[in-house]
Amino acid sequence: MATSAGPATELLMFDALELSGKIKRREVSCVETMTAYLDHIEIHNPTVNAIVALRDREELIAEARERDDQLAQGQYLGWMHGFPHAVKDLSAVKGLPFTSGSAIFADRIAEADDLFVARIRAAGAIIIGKTNTPEFGYGSQTYNPVYGTTVSPYDTSRTAGGSSGGAAAALALRMLPVADGTDYMGSLRNPAAFNNVVGFRPSWGRIPEPGFIAQGAVAGPMGRSVTDVAHLLSTMAGPDANAPLAIDEDPEIFTRTLERSFRGARIAWVGDWNGYLATEPGVLDLCESAFPIFADLGCEVDAALPDYDPAHIWDSFLTWRWWAQLGMADLYADPRTRALMKPEMVWEMEHAVALSALDITAAAQKRNDWNAALNTLFETYDFVLAPSAQVFPFDKEQHWPQSIAGRSMDTYHRWMETVVPWTMAGVPIAAVPVGVDDRGLPMGVQIIGRHGADRSVLQLAYAYEQATRWVERIVPPALQVR
């Protein structure tokens, strides 16, 4: 679909890598870029509420002017030189609000950058603010008591998903060139599906996390093209001394061409796990409509499942996730801060504080068993395909789907179970669009690979993208010519 014309609009429609080249060659100035994006944000952000804690315009223009001065002096910081960038509000940016969407931290200001934020800044980006997220990232519906609700630009009566909902909606509306997010339970994948953009959950350890425990949460890139996502991954990734489990591989590999042949590649389609997962009518049909595209690329797509009970994956996931919440036990123990928690967080904490070491040990064994079963599947198949979500974007006033196709959901996040197996395996996943239904609501699929095979997953996502061009073909209504 066409978009409205004009120089500013043309600049905003550039892929991030294309914009990067134009800035480097000084065909477009950093001030022009910042001005165009801020003007666009002023017009569209009030409708979707994707970008929050936006900094002062004059300060941002001044920083953009400094970037132009650096270029004039031959100083080029990196491929994000002069990019406006907003960081998800679950991550810290020195000097900016760091609320995590919680009333408990409504006044908190970050004292230092998180590692990946520092890397983005070092690559030349100008941090303009934050992107909205649900409270502490709980649930794939982006609303919180600090900044309110973020909606999908494809239907502003519906949620943008989450927890990287603000990032995905901002990308879809061309309010950012690229975006960062985090993902424990599909937070880079579900909002990518709901907003017709690309999300990438890297292998565990690709983007360093401090400590000695491979928990579920990872940071990752989002964008409007797979190449843009790969380049942002190259910036965010790489080993760090404080992350002993980090993958020790030069992230420069993600800046190389993604073109390759997939003739003879085999893909396992897990779908709804033979009816185990509840799915809204139309979700599987739309995902399966992508099969001929993969076939044209030379792939064979088969319905196939790992030899493992998905109920065991879910059980171990619950324990693992509860364990991860124990760092907030003090907030839960204090009646004053507990009263400020959303019900879903209280539910998580109630279970977390009741865990025993035996519970965690049993969950760890189940996780090991699941990983072994998945590796056995990968002996036959090169990739796995799964829906990125089990429902289409739903009403923004609904906190979470209580039922799907007549099946009741027993927890606030059971409706997101399609993402859980791959989180628990720590494997790389590209979430790519598969088009829209007859209501114009987007959906996506997860392309899943072996641990460490991040580049291969991106290469398949790139080949699929070149054949479909969903992001270019279906822009949000607010950007369409009238």
Side-chain angles (χ1 to χ4, degrees):
M1 296 181 181
T3 57
S4 54
T9 300
E10 183 182 7
L11 186 155
L12 296 166
M13 298 302 289
F14 291 145
D15 283 349
L17 198 58
E18 185 178 7
L19 175 62
S20 175
K22 288 182 178 295
I23 290 174
K24 184 177 183 180
R25 295 188 298 270
R26 300 176 68 185
E27 296 171 10
V28 174
S29 75
C30 300
V31 168
E32 287 174 313
T33 300
M34 182 63 71
T35 300
Y37 271 98
L38 292 179
D39 288 348
H40 194 67
I41 290 167
E42 186 176 335
I43 293 169
H44 293 287
N45 195 54
T47 302
V48 296
N49 191 39
I51 297 176
V52 297
L54 186 65
R55 294 176 57 206
D56 178 75
R57 172 184 279 259
E58 291 186 4
E59 291 181 1
L60 293 171
I61 296 297
E63 289 189 22
R65 190 172 293 112
E66 290 176 7
R67 290 287 187 270
D68 283 328
D69 291 343
Q70 289 172 320
L71 282 177
Q73 297 165 15
Q75 184 181 1
Y76 181 66
L77 299 182
W79 83 280
M80 299 181 77
H81 192 108
F83 272 25
H85 188 85
V87 174
K88 182 178 176 180
D89 198 26
L90 293 184
S91 300
V93 178
K94 183 178 181 179
L96 291 192
F98 181 24
T99 76
S100 296
S102 170
I104 297 170
F105 295 124
D107 299 320
R108 180 171 64 175
I109 303 297
E111 296 181 356
D113 288 343
D114 280 345
L115 176 61
F116 80 82
V117 175
R119 289 174 170 179
I120 287 172
R121 200 193 292 272
I126 299 170
I127 310 297
I128 66 171
K130 308 297 285 287
T131 55
N132 205 21
T133 183
E135 180 181 336
F136 289 109
Y138 291 105
S140 191
Q141 215 283 47
T142 297
Y143 69 93
N144 65 64
V146 182
Y147 294 119
T149 302
T150 300
V151 299
S152 172
Y154 285 89
D155 183 339
T156 56
S157 71
R158 297 173 183 265
T159 178
S163 61
S164 306
L171 282 169
L173 270 178
R174 278 65 179 173
M175 294 192 293
L176 295 172
V178 287
D180 63 81
T182 55
D183 185 308
Y184 199 124
M185 195 179 182
S187 293
L188 287 160
R189 295 167 276 170
N190 177 279
F194 281 11
N195 294 276
N196 192 47
V197 295
V198 180
F200 186 74
R201 179 189 164 99
S203 293
W204 173 261
R206 179 68 65 186
I207 295 176
E209 295 285 342
F212 291 88
I213 298 171
Q215 259 300 343
V218 299
M222 303 184 82
R224 291 187 295 272
S225 80
V226 177
T227 302
D228 289 349
V229 165
H231 274 71
L232 183 54
L233 178 62
S234 75
T235 299
M236 299 172 71
D240 182 78
N242 293 315
L245 302 185
I247 294 173
D248 189 6
E249 185 176 30
D250 188 347
E252 182 273 337
I253 62 170
F254 299 110
T255 66
R256 301 174 192 171
T257 180
L258 295 175
E259 294 183 357
R260 61 164 275 198
S261 170
F262 284 94
R263 187 161 305 281
R266 300 193 66 188
I267 301 175
W269 163 244
V270 299
D272 63 359
W273 291 69
N274 284 341
Y276 170 78
L277 298 177
T279 55
E280 182 177 346
V283 168
L284 295 180
D285 291 339
L286 201 52
C287 292
E288 290 171 4
S289 72
F291 291 1
I293 305 299
F294 288 105
D296 289 345
L297 296 174
C299 302
E300 176 186 338
V301 182
D302 301 324
L305 291 173
D307 185 17
Y308 195 80
D309 186 346
H312 292 330
I313 306 173
W314 177 253
D315 289 343
S316 61
F317 167 80
L318 290 177
T319 298
W320 212 268
R321 186 173 167 92
W322 291 330
W323 182 28
Q325 314 312 319
L326 285 173
M328 293 188 288
D330 289 347
L331 297 178
Y332 175 74
D334 187 334
R336 295 169 298 178
T337 48
R338 187 192 310 167
L340 297 175
M341 294 177 176
K342 65 193 288 189
E344 293 84 353
M345 182 177 180
V346 173
W347 179 85
E348 293 273 8
M349 295 306 305
E350 286 172 346
H351 288 84
V353 298
L355 285 176
S356 70
L358 289 177
D359 295 328
I360 296 169
T361 300
Q365 184 58 56
K366 286 181 180 178
R367 188 178 187 183
N368 291 343
D369 293 343
W370 157 235
N371 187 61
L374 181 58
N375 284 334
T376 298
L377 184 73
F378 277 132
E379 291 175 4
T380 303
Y381 293 95
D382 303 290
F383 302 94
V384 176
L385 276 184
S388 291
Q390 291 165 236
V391 298
F392 290 98
F394 53 88
D395 192 299
K396 66 182 180 182
E397 303 299 333
Q398 184 180 10
H399 288 184
W400 49 276
Q402 305 290 316
S403 65
I404 302 175
R407 289 168 58 178
S408 296
M409 300 291 102
D410 58 350
T411 73
Y412 78 96
H413 50 11
R414 175 72 87 158
W415 64 276
M416 301 156 57
E417 194 172 354
T418 184
V419 302
V420 166
W422 327 115
T423 290
M424 293 300 284
V427 291
I429 310 142
V432 295
V434 291
V436 297
D437 70 358
D438 56 9
R439 299 167 294 178
L441 299 179
M443 183 44 58
V445 292
Q446 304 173 78
I447 300 174
I448 301 148
R450 298 175 178 85
H451 184 268
D454 302 54
R455 188 160 180 263
S456 292
V457 170
L458 288 166
Q459 287 173 321
L460 181 55
Y462 174 80
Y464 169 82
E465 172 191 71
Q466 298 307 296
T468 58
R469 301 284 185 179
W470 284 121
V471 177
E472 297 173 24
R473 288 166 56 190
I474 303 178
V475 299
L479 300 183
Q480 295 172 16
V481 173
R482 287 171 170 78

